[in-house]
């Protein structure tokens, strides 16, 4: 274990900004909004989106023809409201007098509910004279598909009709090449003094010491006239819905240090923000702005991170993915019968098959993870009714692993994209340059990724356990299959001279000898032998991997290493968390607690909201982690990382079959003296747990136990 970056949880409690102007996001259901710190949208990577279509692309406010001076802005901790506080610059002369700067307080406040944006502009005159206030909004709706917004070129698109106005409303219409008409409506509570199809101008008379509100709504299809009542009623609904999502499952609280609890609260709020209640149950969308949709891999891993606290996410993910399981072969969609989807989209380009992502299956790992999560969910909950309902889907997924996942009959799951429009790399590191040989050469396909074999091992083993409980006589064969996978991985991927596993095998069976964090995922599945797991752990904890802010995706010094890259040397919190949980599987606790402290220190610099990834530069005294400029924020599996690392640090496991909670050699990070877990439910039983340091050791004390439930501390 490397002690180079021992970090106390009290360290790094500053909230230094990353140095970049962050876009701020709101989300509700399948609608999300991205704007700058003033609340403006300018038609870049921002806008109001519904169904993967940008229904409001430009929305900017000026006061007296100028952008107001920003005092502060941000999103509420529960992720419901965005607010920006501004003041005026000097106003132009009106009737021979002009208002000086800084006499108006203008608050811009908004939320999303029912597929529309609700906005309130509150204006307060703190001056000593009455003021004529010129306020203007510029707007537009381009109806760009989200892939256009991301930069995909379209040679042709449909027809954008000239907006129509109606006193205090503007209606936008677009007829796509798919013959679908998409429309949105923008409405004001007060009629503008001048309204065109792209600008609304107001002139308010604001007496000294008085305030007034302007209400605005924008959403798909038609809209009602905004007013204070509609604002209040919908705001209450939005806040109650978010509160209900945040209160699902058990809660975790740290010591009296408010900063650590704020991190837990922010992470839980981000997971709630990204979770959409679908007919099949709650599903954590991957992230905003680019991935605000169900992803198979991301949903499974985020649900797994939260499984010990809130099994309802896993149930929702499993049920939804089963409903989207492939039934036919398509090169364009990269699908075969039984395969679990990678991504789904609802925009025009997906409907026209300009991109394959309407329902896309180009993820080699998702099918294995689907089965493995089902096994973990069953162990956590004892819910055999769901497993029986999903059994045909689980068997179909296993058949895909056997019949399609192993394209060359070598016993390993591999991939090679079916069409040029699909993803060239189909593991979690899916950028084009993420998988390579030690000399930097790209491998020929089909490629068999290391971590995917671990997922397959976990899937076969889970299927064997579930099959035995359901009385399926194929269960012993599935267990044998798991052990065959274990033996193949240990034989074909292990590099004795490196004390590490190769990241992949290429189409010729040659090892891709790059040293990458994928091996941490293999530890997570429990596949390696104890001796090899210890050697991998030692290397992952070395300074070549460990930055002081987390674990790099690629070891320092490897070909294609770049700390500013997407997958070749950056730090992904979920990747670090899975590696930490993997180490914990083999008894490592102290290092896991240290990594948790390091990730907390990074989160403190990102305003307690972990991004999708950040750069993999080494930690320097007094300096913050370096942001990756286009990282998604928030991202579900980044938000869930703290909860998986806490579970790993505590060595906590739940077995619903025996009605027991085991806590093996628990360890709390330095600076975190106590932890309380409230409302932990196992079957019909319920318990609170208090963990605290006593005489240098972590002690677990069960409280308020209801029902039959054993809590055991193992040393």
């Amino acid at each position: 274990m490397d002690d180079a970056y021992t970090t106390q949880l009290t360290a790094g409690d500053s909230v230094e900004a990353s140095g970049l102007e962050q876009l701020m996001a709101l989300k509700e259901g399948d609608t999300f909004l991205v704007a700058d710190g003033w609340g403006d949208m300018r038609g870049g990577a921002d806008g109001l989106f519904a169904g993967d279509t940008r229904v409001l692309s430009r929305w900017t406010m000026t006061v007296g023809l100028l952008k107001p001076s920003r005092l502060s802005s941000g999103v509420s901790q529960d992720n419901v409201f965005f607010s920006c506080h501004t003041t005026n610059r000097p106003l132009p002369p009106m009737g021979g007098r002009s208002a000086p700067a800084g006499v108006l307080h203008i608050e811009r406040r908004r939320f999303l509910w029912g597929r529309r944006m609700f906005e309130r502009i509150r204006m307060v005159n703190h001056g000593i004279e009455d003021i004529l206030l010129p306020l203007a909004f510029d707007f537009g709706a381009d109806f760009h598909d989200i892939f256009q917004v991301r930069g995909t070129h379209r040679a042709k698109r449909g027809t954008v009709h000239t907006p129509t106005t109606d006193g205090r409303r503007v209606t936008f219409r677009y007829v796509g090449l798919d013959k679908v008409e998409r429309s949105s409506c923008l409405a004001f509570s007060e009629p503008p003094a001048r309204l065109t199809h792209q600008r609304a101008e107001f002139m308010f008379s604001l007496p000294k010491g008085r305030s007034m509100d302007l209400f605005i709504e924008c959403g798909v299809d038609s809209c009602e006239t905004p007013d204070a009542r509609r604002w209040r009623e919908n705001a209450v609904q939005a806040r109650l819905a978010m509160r209900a999502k945040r209160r699902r499952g058990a809660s975790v609280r740290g010591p009296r240090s408010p900063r650590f609890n704020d991190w837990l609260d922010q992470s839980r709020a981000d997971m709630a923000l990204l979770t959409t209640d679908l007919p099949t149950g709650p599903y954590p969308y991957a992230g905003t702005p680019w991935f605000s949709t169900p992803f198979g891999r991301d949903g499974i891993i985020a649900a797994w991170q939260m499984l010990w606290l809130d099994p309802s996410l896993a149930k929702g993910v499993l049920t939804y993915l089963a409903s989207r399981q492939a039934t036919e072969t398509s090169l364009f969609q990269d699908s075969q019968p039984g395969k679990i989807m990678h991504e789904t989209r609802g925009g025009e380009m997906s409907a026209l098959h300009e991109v394959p992502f309407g329902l896309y299956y180009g993820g080699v790992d998702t099918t294995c993870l689907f089965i493995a999560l089902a096994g973990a969910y069953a162990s956590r909950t004892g819910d055999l009714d769901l497993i029986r309902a999903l059994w045909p889907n689980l068997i179909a997924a296993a058949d895909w692993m056997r019949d399609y996942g192993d394209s060359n009959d070598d016993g390993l799951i591999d991939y090679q994209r079916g069409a040029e429009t699909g993803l060239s790399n189909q593991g979690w590191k899916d950028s084009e340059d993420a998988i390579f040989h030690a000399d930097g050469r790209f491998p020929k396909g089909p490629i068999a990724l290391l971590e995917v074999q671990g997922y397959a091992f976990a899937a076969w083993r889970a299927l064997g356990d579930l099959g035995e409980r359901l009385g399926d006589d194929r269960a012993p064969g599935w267990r044998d299959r798991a052990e065959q996978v274990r033996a193949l991985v240990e034989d074909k991927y292990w590099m004795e001279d490196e004390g590490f596993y190769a990241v992949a095998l290429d189409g010729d069976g040659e090892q891709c000898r790059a040293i990458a964090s994928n091996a941490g995922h293999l530890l997570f599945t429990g596949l390696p032998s104890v001796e090899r797991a210890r050697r991998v752990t030692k290397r992952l904890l070395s300074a070549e991997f460990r930055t002081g802010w987390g674990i790099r995706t690629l070891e320092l010094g490897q070909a294609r290493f770049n700390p500013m890259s997407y997958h070749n040397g950056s730090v992904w919190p979920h990747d670090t968390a899975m590696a930490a949980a993997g180490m914990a599987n083999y008894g490592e606790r102290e290092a896991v607690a240290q990594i948790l402290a390091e990730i907390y220190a990074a989160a403190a610099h990102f305003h307690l909201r972990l991004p999708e990834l950040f750069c993999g530069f080494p930690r320097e005294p007094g300096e913050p982690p370096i942001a990756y400029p286009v990282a998604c924020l928030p991202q579900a599996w980044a938000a869930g990382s703290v909860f998986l690392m806490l579970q790993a640090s505590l060595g906590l496991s739940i077995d619903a079959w025996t009605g027991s909670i085991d806590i093996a050699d628990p360890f709390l990070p330095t600076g975190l003296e106590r932890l309380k877990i409230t409302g932990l439910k196992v079957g019909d039983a319920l318990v609170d747990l208090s963990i605290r340091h006593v005489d240098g050791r972590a002690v677990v004390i069960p409280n308020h136990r209801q029902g039959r439930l054993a809590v055991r501390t193992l040393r």
Side-chain angles (χ1 to χ4, degrees):
M1 184 177 64
D2 185 0
D3 291 326
Y5 296 115
T6 301
T7 307
Q8 294 192 23
L9 281 169
T10 52
D13 267 4
S14 66
V15 289
E16 298 175 43
S18 64
L20 296 174
E21 174 64 40
Q22 291 285 347
L23 294 176
M24 299 188 185
L26 297 175
K27 175 188 170 295
E28 191 274 319
D30 288 322
T31 304
F32 69 92
L33 183 152
V34 182
D36 67 15
W38 278 262
D40 286 341
M41 297 172 259
R42 300 181 177 276
D46 49 9
L48 174 63
F49 295 80
D52 286 327
T53 301
R54 185 159 62 183
V55 298
L56 185 67
S57 53
R58 191 172 73 259
W59 178 241
T60 63
M61 183 183 78
T62 54
V63 180
L65 304 180
L66 297 173
K67 189 174 185 176
S69 297
R70 183 171 61 158
L71 303 174
S72 69
S73 63
V75 175
S76 60
Q77 191 176 57
D78 64 2
N79 287 318
V80 175
F81 291 98
F82 164 83
S83 61
C84 176
H85 295 269
T86 66
T87 189
N88 64 297
R89 303 178 192 274
L91 296 179
M94 298 285 178
R97 292 180 299 179
S98 63
V103 297
L104 290 173
H105 173 222
I106 304 173
E107 181 199 25
R108 196 172 185 180
R109 189 168 175 83
R110 67 164 65 117
F111 65 93
L112 299 179
W113 185 249
R115 303 189 73 197
R116 64 186 58 247
M117 174 188 79
F118 292 81
E119 183 156 332
R120 184 189 68 195
I121 312 296
R122 173 160 288 174
M123 299 155 280
V124 185
N125 181 1
H126 292 286
I128 60 174
E129 295 182 335
D130 298 348
I131 289 176
L132 286 176
L133 170 58
L135 190 70
F137 298 89
D138 291 287
F139 47 77
D142 59 13
F143 293 96
H144 279 182
D145 186 281
I146 194 166
F147 287 97
Q148 282 180 276
V149 179
R150 291 175 62 176
T152 302
H153 174 71
R154 295 187 76 189
K156 292 178 60 179
R157 65 181 307 240
T159 303
V160 179
H161 292 271
T162 301
T164 59
T165 61
D166 174 20
R168 64 180 78 197
R169 281 184 194 81
V170 183
T171 301
F172 309 96
R173 290 176 55 243
Y174 169 74
V175 179
L177 297 179
D178 57 357
K179 308 304 180 186
V180 174
E181 179 175 301
R182 296 168 173 86
S183 65
S184 59
C185 179
L186 177 66
F188 302 91
S189 60
E190 300 292 331
R194 182 171 178 266
L195 180 62
T196 71
H197 64 268
Q198 59 186 9
R199 184 175 172 86
E201 298 175 355
F202 297 86
M203 183 64 70
F204 295 115
S205 177
L206 192 57
K208 61 182 181 181
R210 300 292 296 274
S211 66
M212 69 175 302
D213 293 337
L214 174 67
F215 296 96
I216 302 155
E217 294 182 22
C218 182
V220 297
D221 303 324
S222 61
C223 49
E224 298 183 37
T225 301
D227 57 29
R229 178 191 60 80
R230 285 181 53 78
W231 165 273
R232 287 194 303 269
E233 290 177 355
N234 285 279
V236 167
Q237 291 301 312
R239 181 149 267 174
L240 288 175
M242 184 64 77
R243 186 178 301 168
K245 286 194 284 187
R246 291 181 65 188
R247 290 180 174 176
R248 288 172 178 157
S251 67
V252 184
R253 304 296 292 171
R256 294 180 180 178
S257 164
R259 296 291 292 154
F260 185 74
N261 284 332
D262 284 349
W263 183 35
L264 294 174
D265 289 343
Q266 185 67 65
S267 299
R268 201 66 181 262
D270 286 349
M271 189 66 77
L273 172 72
L274 294 169
T275 297
T276 297
D277 288 325
L278 302 173
T280 48
Y283 199 106
Y285 284 12
T288 58
W290 306 126
F291 307 126
S292 187
T293 189
F295 275 73
R297 177 193 304 121
D298 297 62
I300 290 171
I301 291 177
W304 209 321
Q305 292 170 328
M306 302 299 297
L307 180 60
W308 67 289
L309 293 170
D310 180 13
S312 71
L313 276 183
K315 183 176 183 178
V317 167
L318 290 167
T319 306
Y320 178 84
L321 293 178
S323 73
R324 296 300 186 96
Q325 191 170 32
T327 58
E328 60 184 16
T329 298
S330 166
L331 295 179
F332 182 69
Q333 293 179 294
D334 256 318
S335 68
Q336 299 95 25
K339 199 173 185 183
I340 298 299
M341 73 160 216
H342 168 69
E343 175 182 0
T344 182
R345 295 286 186 174
E348 178 189 3
M349 293 176 69
S350 296
L352 292 169
H353 301 298
E354 295 178 25
V355 293
F357 304 111
L359 192 53
Y360 181 61
Y361 294 85
V364 69
D365 48 4
T366 310
T367 309
C368 306
L369 285 167
F370 172 74
I371 301 174
L373 178 63
Y377 169 82
S379 295
R380 168 65 181 85
T381 64
D383 184 3
L384 274 181
D385 289 340
L386 179 67
I387 300 303
R388 288 190 185 95
L390 296 179
W391 195 241
N393 304 98
L394 294 169
I395 297 301
D399 290 345
W400 176 86
M401 291 170 61
R402 182 195 64 210
D403 299 337
Y404 297 98
D406 180 7
S407 69
N408 53 15
D409 295 323
D410 63 355
L412 302 170
I413 305 295
D414 54 44
Y415 68 90
Q416 188 161 337
R417 66 179 174 186
E420 290 298 314
T421 52
L423 296 172
S424 55
N425 280 318
Q426 298 191 354
W428 87 261
K429 296 179 180 178
D430 57 6
S431 52
E432 291 186 351
D433 62 348
I435 307 301
F436 50 87
H437 285 283
D439 59 4
R441 287 179 296 119
F442 293 131
K444 63 177 291 187
I447 298 169
L449 291 170
L450 172 68
E451 75 275 16
V452 175
Q453 314 318 314
Y455 304 153
F457 164 76
W460 290 121
R461 191 166 58 174
L463 205 62
D465 292 345
L466 295 174
E468 182 178 12
R469 292 190 179 277
L470 295 179
D472 194 311
D473 58 12
R474 293 169 290 183
W478 291 325
R479 286 203 179 98
D480 290 345
R481 192 75 178 248
E483 292 308 312
Q484 291 166 15
V485 172
R486 187 203 297 269
L488 282 169
V489 171
E490 296 285 44
D491 177 53
K492 292 182 177 293
Y493 289 81
W494 181 252
M495 302 181 292
E496 181 61 30
D497 57 330
E498 296 282 3
F500 211 76
Y501 291 94
V503 71
L505 301 183
D506 70 9
D508 293 327
E510 180 185 352
Q511 290 180 342
C512 298
R513 293 173 60 86
I515 307 298
S517 65
N518 305 52
H521 294 232
L522 197 69
L523 300 181
F524 179 77
T525 68
L527 183 148
S529 67
V530 172
E531 190 273 333
R532 288 181 175 178
R534 287 174 177 164
R535 294 177 71 181
V536 169
T537 295
K538 182 178 180 180
R539 192 151 183 178
L540 288 172
L541 293 176
S542 70
E544 283 71 30
F545 265 113
R546 194 172 167 193
T547 66
W549 304 115
I551 295 172
R552 296 185 180 100
T553 51
L554 187 68
E555 187 182 60
L556 182 69
Q558 294 293 303
R560 300 189 179 276
F561 174 82
N562 179 351
M564 301 173 290
S565 67
Y566 198 53
H567 287 128
N568 291 335
S570 54
V571 175
W572 288 63
H574 92 278
D575 182 49
T576 293
M578 291 188 76
M583 297 174 197
N585 284 340
Y586 293 88
E588 181 58 69
R589 292 282 183 273
E590 185 175 358
V592 170
Q594 290 177 7
I595 292 170
L596 171 60
E598 293 170 8
I599 288 287
Y600 166 67
H605 286 286
F606 289 113
H607 303 284
L608 302 178
R609 171 178 272 177
L610 283 171
E612 176 188 19
L613 74 156
F614 47 90
C615 293
F617 292 104
R619 185 172 180 175
E620 298 291 346
E623 296 184 12
I626 297 173
Y628 187 81
V630 292
C632 279
L633 191 71
Q635 184 89 351
W637 61 15
S641 296
V642 57
F643 303 108
L644 181 60
M645 284 187 287
L646 272 176
Q647 182 186 15
S649 179
L650 294 174
L652 187 149
S653 60
I654 300 172
D655 187 344
W657 307 123
T658 60
S660 62
I661 299 174
D662 288 345
I663 302 180
D665 194 22
F667 203 98
L668 292 174
T670 304
L672 181 62
E673 295 300 318
R674 62 185 61 195
L675 196 70
K676 186 171 184 180
I677 303 166
T678 305
L680 193 59
K681 187 175 182 181
V682 182
D684 295 327
L686 197 70
V687 70
D688 298 343
L689 300 176
S690 295
I691 302 102
R692 63 182 64 185
H693 273 302
V694 177
D695 297 328
R697 303 182 71 179
V699 175
V700 181
I701 303 170
N703 299 308
H704 307 110
R705 187 164 12 194
Q706 300 175 23
R708 298 184 61 182
L709 184 63
V711 180
R712 302 176 295 190
T713 303
L714 309 177
R715 299 289 179 181

